[in-house]
Amino acid sequence: MRTAFLDRVDELNDPIQLADRILRAALFLHASDIHLDPMENHLRVRFRIDGELEDVLEIKSSMQNALASRLKVLSSLDIAERRAPQDGGFTWRLPGSSMANTPLDVRMATLPVRHGERITLRLLETGGKRLTLDDLGMSVKDRALFDSVLRRPHGLVLLTGPTGSGKTTTLYAAIQALLKTGPKNIVTVEDPIEYEIPGVAQAEVDSADKVNFSKALKSLLRHDPDVVMIGEIRDADSLNVAIKAALTGHLVLSTLHTNDAKGAVTRLVDMGLDPKLIGAVLRLAVAQRLVRRICTSCNGKGCSSCSNRGYSGRIGIFEFYSPDGENLRTMRDDAMEKVQEGVTSLAEIEKALGE
């Protein structure tokens, strides 16, 4: 194994120790997700590290239910319910360790499958360093355009791309940049809140339906915001609120699922937006993907710093589109420049862009 934290874990019979050791290893390896997959003869443990799933451990099937119950207790879920999906979360700290000062915000989801319950844990380092716009990998020209749009008092800015492409991270970085420009009333509606931002009013959609997406959106503009962030434009209701806000003097940031930047226009029209309003409301659409960075300690050869992967961390590749004519480079153009600079590899680009 790549870390001593996982040595002889498969021999543990205490579910509390077992959960702690898995979480500690995931924290040490900077995993973003833990997948616990019930197989016929064992429980498979996989970590997602820099976007890649890696098998790290096999646990005996006899510990499967006990481990699930331990995680459910931490997440305030029903330990007796094994035939229906559940979701919850908890904040975890490793006691008696230097890493205790780096708490993990853990989001847990269960799903009944053939051989038991599949569990996915999303890990968010609540005490970790927040990424800024400087960290994302935008070119100088792209960054200048992005900054100029954020300085505008109103309009719609969309981050597009598939799940896991870093859209939410870019939104949070943009909000942090806006906070540095002076006092602003920023209100968000998120599902869920991934990171708390001091000075921002963040509303989380409640799975119990006390604060559902529609209710939160309807009250959004009553709070006199300068900037509105909607986690995702997912239907006509969220689109109508976003357009209304953008047309009435608010800067609106949100995400949309499209393959490229210009595809945001087609998607908005498909969702019911009058094409005549595109130029009036849309300031910028940014498509993005994430690719792994070549390890700077070994230049991709593999070393202890990157656990012999040759990669360490990730960087964004971007494509910008604005209706006023500033149609910049494609994602492939941006990606190939990063390959030439030695930041990432051609294999990563081909994998990210599907070409």
Side-chain angles (χ1 to χ4, degrees):
M1 290 299 175
R2 291 183 306 275
T3 169
F5 296 142
L6 292 174
D7 287 347
R8 306 185 69 177
V9 169
D10 55 333
E11 300 175 13
L12 290 174
N13 293 311
D14 182 343
I16 295 177
Q17 291 184 26
L18 182 57
D20 283 352
R21 291 278 290 277
I22 292 172
L23 287 166
R24 176 165 54 175
L27 176 61
F28 178 79
L29 292 170
H30 304 290
S32 61
D33 302 84
I34 300 172
H35 294 265
L36 306 178
D37 302 318
M39 312 300 284
E40 184 176 2
N41 299 311
H42 63 273
L43 180 67
R44 179 177 63 179
V45 181
R46 296 187 292 175
F47 291 170
R48 188 175 294 279
I49 302 170
D50 291 339
E52 298 291 313
L53 268 179
E54 299 186 16
D55 289 7
V56 296
L57 186 64
E58 291 183 1
I59 296 173
K60 52 194 175 186
S61 295
S62 60
M63 287 301 298
Q64 178 178 317
N65 289 339
L67 177 60
S69 294
R70 169 57 180 167
L71 293 170
K72 287 179 180 179
V73 168
L74 290 172
S75 301
S76 301
L77 301 181
D78 183 355
I79 63 172
E81 179 57 78
R82 295 179 181 172
R83 302 183 66 180
Q86 299 186 72
D87 60 85
F90 59 95
T91 298
W92 180 84
R93 292 175 183 268
L94 181 64
S97 166
S98 60
M99 288 191 294
N101 293 324
T102 306
L104 277 180
D105 186 5
V106 183
R107 304 298 173 98
M108 174 174 169
T110 72
L111 179 69
V113 293
R114 182 175 183 183
H115 297 294
E117 282 184 289
R118 190 185 196 283
I119 295 174
T120 299
L121 304 173
R122 167 62 58 89
L123 312 179
L124 304 168
E125 292 188 30
T126 59
K129 177 182 179 290
R130 298 287 182 266
L131 292 180
T132 67
L133 291 177
D134 292 334
D135 303 317
L136 303 182
M138 292 181 186
S139 69
V140 173
K141 190 174 181 180
D142 287 348
R143 174 63 188 279
L145 176 57
F146 197 72
D147 286 342
S148 70
V149 170
L150 291 182
R151 288 194 294 268
R152 298 186 185 183
H154 54 80
L156 177 64
V157 179
L158 291 174
L159 279 298
T160 76
T163 300
S165 59
K167 301 185 299 295
T168 301
T169 296
T170 302
L171 282 182
Y172 278 111
I175 288 175
Q176 291 183 82
L178 285 165
L179 287 170
K180 294 178 180 178
T181 64
K184 282 184 174 60
N185 183 18
I186 302 177
V187 181
T188 77
V189 177
E190 304 173 59
D191 182 17
I193 294 172
E194 293 196 16
Y195 297 108
E196 292 185 16
I197 308 176
V200 175
Q202 295 173 266
E204 182 171 74
V205 175
D206 192 330
S207 58
D209 213 32
K210 292 180 181 178
V211 184
N212 63 32
F213 207 70
S214 179
K215 289 178 181 177
L217 288 172
K218 286 178 181 177
S219 67
L220 196 63
L221 298 184
R222 299 174 190 158
H223 293 272
D224 186 33
D226 300 305
V227 179
V228 171
M229 193 268 267
I230 300 172
E232 178 187 351
I233 294 179
R234 56 175 67 171
D235 51 29
D237 284 345
S238 51
L239 176 61
N240 289 337
V241 170
I243 298 306
K244 180 180 178 181
L247 290 173
T248 55
H250 306 84
L251 182 64
V252 181
L253 310 177
S254 191
T255 69
L256 200 63
H257 287 280
T258 66
N259 290 327
D260 55 28
K262 199 169 184 178
V265 173
T266 304
R267 180 72 178 128
L268 290 173
V269 173
D270 287 345
M271 294 178 72
L273 180 62
D274 185 340
K276 297 176 183 177
L277 289 177
I278 296 291
V281 69
L282 182 62
R283 296 290 173 265
L284 186 66
V286 180
Q288 66 178 86
R289 301 289 190 276
L290 291 175
V291 294
R292 291 185 294 174
R293 289 178 180 265
I294 292 174
C295 177
T296 56
S297 297
C298 63
N299 293 320
K301 297 177 182 178
C303 64
S304 59
S305 296
C306 62
S307 298
N308 291 316
R309 296 186 199 91
Y311 297 95
S312 181
R314 290 192 287 176
I315 191 170
I317 53 175
F318 297 91
E319 177 179 294
F320 281 44
Y321 169 78
S322 66
D324 62 8
E326 292 186 75
N327 190 356
L328 304 185
R329 301 175 306 164
T330 66
M331 269 188 290
R332 175 160 286 278
D333 292 334
D334 188 39
M336 292 309 296
E337 183 173 298
K338 289 181 169 69
V339 171
Q340 293 168 3
E341 293 171 350
V343 176
T344 190
S345 68
L346 189 59
E348 281 294 295
I349 299 307
E350 292 174 343
K351 183 167 57 179
L353 298 182
E355 299 175 6

